[in-house]
Amino acid sequence: MPPEDALLGLLLELDEGQGVSLARLAKRMDERVSVLLRRASGLTDAVIGGVAGPGWVRLQCDDTGRWVASLTPAGRAAAKRH
């Protein structure tokens, strides 16, 4: 399973509407947070290398510097297909 599919599946499992901290996701996926942040960025709607991502994941950093990932409705549908 590609790492992006694993990330979508884990978010589908853990995201109960308030998002999931990247630290928690990284621990579950046995990845460093920095690696997971790069991978998740490619699943947002950000334009990277001139190409917009699919918009499946929303990343937010709160006031304490804690990164949180959540599925968008399109991401939830994509995760259920994978």
Side-chain angles (χ1 to χ4, degrees):
M1 169 184 305
E4 290 76 11
D5 289 351
L7 176 58
L8 287 174
L10 193 54
L11 275 170
L12 183 63
E13 175 188 334
L14 299 177
D15 185 5
E16 296 176 349
Q18 296 181 343
V20 182
S21 76
L22 284 187
R24 182 176 180 199
L25 290 170
K27 187 172 186 171
R28 289 281 303 265
M29 294 183 72
D30 195 28
E31 289 278 359
R32 292 176 39 174
V33 172
S34 60
V35 171
L36 192 57
L37 183 58
R38 275 194 307 274
R39 186 168 291 135
S41 294
L43 298 174
T44 68
D45 60 359
V47 177
I48 301 172
V51 178
W56 294 340
V57 174
R58 182 175 299 113
L59 292 173
Q60 296 176 305
C61 185
D62 67 16
D63 295 337
T64 65
R66 177 177 167 254
W67 282 95
V68 175
S70 57
L71 285 174
T72 64
R76 190 165 298 285
K80 288 179 180 177
R81 286 193 305 266
H82 288 254

